[in-house]
Amino acid sequence: MPRIQQLPESVITKIAAGEVIERPASVVKELVENSIDAGARRIDVSVDQGGTDLIRVVDDGSGIAPDDLPLALASHATSKLISADDLFHIASLGFRGEALASIGGVAQVSIQSRQPDQLVGAELSCQGSELGSVRPWNGSPGTRIEVRHLFYNTPVRRKFLRAIPTEMGHVCEAFTRLALAQPDVHMTLKHGGKDVYEVPATAQLLDRLRLFFGKEIHDKLYGVEAEAGPARLHGFVADPSCERGNAKLQYLFLNGRWIRDRSLGHALQEAYRGLLMTGRYAVAFLFLELPPDLVDVNVHPTKMEVRFRDGQGLYSLVFNAIRLRLNQANLTPRLQAPSTLGPPRAPFAAGLPVPPTWLQEPIPAYTPTQVVGGVTQPSNAPPMLLDETPSFKAIQLYNAYLVLETAEGMLVIDQHALHERILFEQLKRRVRAGDLETQALLIPEPVELTAEQAARTLEQRDALAQLGLGVEDFGGGTVLLTSYPALLGKRAPQTILKAVVDHLASKERVPTREQLFSDLLSLMACHGAVRSGDALTPEEIAALVAQRDLADDTHHCPHGRPTSLLFSRHDLDRQFRRV
Ligand code: ADP
Ligand code: MG
């Protein structure tokens, strides 16, 4: 065993940096937090190459005295904390005195700063913890920090960085969190010189929510306000129809700081119980204010997790406030009973006047099988019998199931599961054969996403194109949908894209092409398929039943649920004691 040695300062700094600085977005977070702590009214962030090349943060805050500059870059040096006691009354975002030193250890940093009441300021640069000398600087009041070539001296960490759009997505997310927490500060973000966000100061949180998350969500928000003892909760929760496939649009802030908290996240989800399907997530923007001595923020290096004195009390506060608000919003009937079950329909009742788009899918050459009067007959006739009454006996029940008489017995088909399976097979076959027909949109549909979602989506642009989904960057978190697979008909291509986006965002790592294709095909099939609750016309029922024979595995939907159940003739007869 080698002897125990005290580690050199430069190694200590790199180790500390490992905890605080994970990627360019972490640098943006730390620098902007410092600007906010310095009382800045305006903060301009610009980055190049997703922040891997350059991150510049300029503020108009209180500045740093020239003599203090070297200290700002030293470990455990802070102006925000003097005694250990202060740790329990933290009112600033920073207090560990670690961020600038950490960044200085793994990048090339230059700081220029002037205090507003001084005629001259000073500048200092730092390369991998090596400080230059303090020189006079004559810029405008405030602080300007540039961080170049992050992880230039820690190649392993540099390798961990993801593609530029992904890193930029994280930067945007960090920026969004900071901007939501401080609506009264004017903030801007540029990437490669181009505007990403221009966020004017406002007294209204709603303005910011609209700017970052779009009109669609903005228009469906319910304000929440509640108090319990010294704790105060305010913010907005979205109508259940805004639900998402992951929890990314659940924002929680504590005393102006974005935090993650499992328990409060659970309280939020519980408040939506009965309004969302399992696996779906509410959208919410919640702000908690607590006296600083009721919370320990010193449990996590990036301070994204905290410990509450009275976690249970806060759980109840969040749950009750949101539940009450959703009840007031008159969502109560939906809380009790899902309304998908309509009255049973008469066989072949008149249905929609317009033929559904999925009927328009031309059936590839094959010998279709028709079920006629309980006898299975091969036939060369087109399976879609559009102008004749279908000749097999099938009825729709509960707008969800098709009951069919076959030679073997009574077949009960789950209309959604079967159609989903058929679409899945068709999509898969065509993508494989490279002849997936796409439908171009005459006017591309703008789809508003968060910047991170937009980045993740654009990162997969080629893969999506192969699946028939054409996407293009429109800037500012908006993606243009230019085409979609013709097979899916006109079933809200936007919705399908959003489901795809949610799926991409829910993945921790980049999926393999194979995995991505299989996931997205089943997702598109699911969204493109008729639903449980859709009333079908006789023609639609006929087409669906006829297409049954086209699929390789019609017994299971892509999620593994059965698509049909057979009650054999023999069993029926036996149950009724006929045999
Ligand atoms: P902390 O924020 O935990 O104190 P940092 O390493 O982030 O530690 O910053 C060290 C010190 O540098 C801060 O305490 C503050 O005094 C000073 N400082 C950093 N950034 C700014 C800024 N933008 N404006 C004014 N002072 C700053
Ligand atoms: Mg700080």
Side-chain angles (χ1 to χ4, degrees):
M1 276 281 269
R3 303 282 303 274
I4 298 178
Q5 294 179 17
Q6 182 69 48
L7 287 175
E9 197 60 34
S10 62
V11 179
I12 295 177
T13 310
K14 278 187 189 163
I15 292 174
E19 289 184 327
V20 189
I21 307 300
E22 188 191 352
R23 53 176 12 129
S26 335
V27 175
V28 170
K29 168 186 177 287
E30 295 297 337
L31 296 184
V32 173
E33 283 190 350
N34 281 342
S35 299
I36 292 166
D37 281 346
R41 308 313 310 155
R42 176 174 178 132
I43 303 172
D44 295 295
V45 182
S46 45
V47 301
D48 284 346
Q49 304 290 319
T52 56
D53 255 22
L54 168 75
I55 298 163
R56 180 190 305 120
V57 174
V58 181
D59 70 48
D60 59 358
S62 55
I64 306 172
D67 292 348
D68 279 356
L69 271 187
L71 269 178
L73 282 160
S75 303
H76 310 298
T78 178
S79 56
K80 301 168 195 175
L81 190 76
I82 297 171
S83 72
D85 253 8
D86 295 346
L87 269 178
F88 302 98
H89 307 278
I90 303 266
S92 53
L93 293 171
F95 59 86
R96 298 167 63 101
E98 218 168 36
L100 284 185
S102 295
I103 298 167
V106 292
Q108 299 159 358
V109 179
S110 84
I111 307 187
Q112 299 166 323
S113 192
R114 170 154 86 84
Q115 297 179 297
D117 55 356
Q118 300 294 313
L119 285 174
V120 273
E123 66 181 339
L124 174 63
S125 57
C126 172
Q127 284 230 11
S129 298
E130 296 290 317
L131 290 192
S133 51
V134 178
R135 289 189 312 227
W137 180 74
N138 251 328
S140 43
T143 303
R144 178 188 165 94
I145 301 191
E146 281 186 1
V147 175
R148 287 178 193 276
H149 308 130
L150 185 63
F151 301 139
Y152 79 103
N153 56 354
T154 48
V156 182
R157 306 220 69 199
R158 195 157 174 103
K159 270 200 210 117
F160 271 102
L161 292 176
R162 300 257 306 261
I164 286 165
T166 309
E167 292 303 337
M168 192 55 206
H170 287 286
V171 168
C172 291
E173 180 57 29
F175 183 88
T176 305
R177 291 172 184 170
L178 292 157
L180 290 184
Q182 319 286 336
D184 55 343
V185 180
H186 183 151
M187 291 176 61
T188 66
L189 175 64
K190 280 191 161 74
H191 187 208
K194 284 203 213 136
D195 288 337
V196 181
Y197 287 120
E198 163 83 48
V199 193
T202 172
Q204 302 302 327
L205 174 64
L206 269 179
D207 295 343
R208 291 239 153 147
L209 293 178
R210 179 174 172 140
L211 196 147
F212 284 107
F213 304 101
K215 178 171 159 40
E216 206 181 309
I217 284 185
H218 169 271
D219 290 352
K220 288 192 183 154
L221 292 173
Y222 305 118
V224 174
E225 270 211 73
E227 277 180 23
R232 201 173 97 75
L233 172 74
H234 66 105
F236 294 90
V237 295
D239 188 86
S241 61
C242 298
E243 47 136 50
R244 289 291 188 274
N246 59 53
K248 292 212 164 165
L249 291 196
Q250 300 186 346
Y251 285 80
L252 176 63
F253 298 86
L254 167 74
N255 296 347
R257 189 195 299 281
W258 180 90
I259 60 161
R260 238 191 319 255
D261 191 275
R262 260 168 186 269
S263 163
L264 297 182
H266 190 260
L268 165 67
Q269 281 293 113
E270 278 299 297
Y272 276 81
R273 186 184 273 275
L275 293 168
L276 299 173
M277 305 262 283
T278 19
R280 306 299 295 173
Y281 294 84
V283 172
F285 308 94
L286 299 173
F287 295 76
L288 260 180
E289 313 293 341
L290 267 184
D293 57 335
L294 294 186
V295 54
D296 188 354
V297 283
N298 188 28
V299 293
H300 192 269
T302 60
K303 297 157 278 181
M304 288 180 180
E305 277 162 33
V306 301
R307 204 156 30 210
F308 296 113
R309 278 262 186 92
D310 179 17
Q312 193 52 45
L314 293 176
Y315 185 99
S316 307
L317 172 64
V318 169
F319 173 81
N320 291 330
I322 299 174
R323 189 71 177 178
L324 183 71
R325 188 65 186 87
L326 293 174
N327 277 327
Q328 283 169 353
N330 217 6
L331 303 166
T332 328
R334 283 153 63 191
L335 282 175
Q336 277 139 16
S339 61
T340 41
L341 298 187
R345 287 161 53 81
F348 297 147
L352 312 164
V354 189
T357 40
W358 57 268
L359 267 179
Q360 293 158 11
E361 150 69 352
I363 305 272
Y366 80 115
T367 309
T369 310
Q370 286 177 31
V371 185
V372 181
V375 187
T376 308
Q377 295 181 343
S379 154
N380 290 320
M384 286 201 285
L385 309 171
L386 286 176
D387 39 18
E388 311 166 28
T389 311
S391 48
F392 43 73
K393 295 182 194 163
I395 56 169
Q396 189 188 29
L397 296 182
Y398 307 118
N399 287 347
Y401 300 106
L402 307 178
V403 180
L404 192 72
E405 178 185 313
T406 74
E408 295 82 16
M410 180 178 79
L411 195 64
V412 181
I413 297 174
D414 176 325
Q415 65 188 36
H416 171 72
L418 174 62
H419 191 215
E420 182 179 11
R421 183 78 227 177
I422 292 170
L423 277 180
F424 178 74
E425 299 270 354
Q426 288 176 333
L427 285 166
K428 192 171 71 181
R429 210 172 304 139
R430 285 166 182 240
V431 168
R432 285 228 180 105
D435 69 350
L436 183 72
E437 258 186 62
T438 60
Q439 175 75 52
L441 289 161
L442 278 182
I443 302 164
E445 286 248 18
V447 182
E448 288 182 82
L449 304 172
T450 66
E452 193 203 355
Q453 288 174 330
R456 289 235 188 171
T457 308
L458 293 166
E459 200 181 6
Q460 298 290 354
R461 193 196 322 230
D462 293 348
L464 294 178
Q466 271 180 289
L467 296 172
L469 286 172
V471 293
E472 235 139 69
D473 191 6
F474 187 67
T478 298
V479 165
L480 291 178
L481 180 64
T482 55
S483 69
Y484 61 93
L487 263 181
L488 298 182
K490 296 210 171 48
R491 270 188 174 261
Q494 272 219 20
T495 320
I496 291 170
L497 180 64
K498 284 198 174 156
V500 167
V501 167
D502 273 349
H503 180 81
L504 292 177
S506 67
K507 293 284 162 200
E508 274 297 306
R509 51 191 80 247
V510 182
T512 62
R513 196 42 81 97
E514 198 48 18
Q515 185 61 47
L516 184 76
F517 273 26
S518 141
D519 286 352
L520 296 192
L521 284 177
S522 59
L523 208 128
M524 295 193 326
C526 180
H527 281 266
V530 296
R531 290 175 187 279
S532 168
D534 286 355
L536 303 183
T537 62
E539 292 77 21
E540 292 171 308
I541 294 174
L544 188 51
V545 171
Q547 292 190 34
R548 238 185 112 229
D549 301 316
L550 290 175
D552 291 341
D553 174 4
T554 47
H555 303 299
H556 295 95
C557 75
H559 304 306
R561 291 194 297 267
T563 59
S564 57
L565 301 172
L566 181 75
F567 298 85
S568 76
R569 173 76 198 266
H570 181 73
D571 274 349
L572 288 172
D573 287 344
R574 230 188 35 202
Q575 296 281 334
F576 288 108
R577 312 267 157 83
R578 285 180 173 278
V579 288

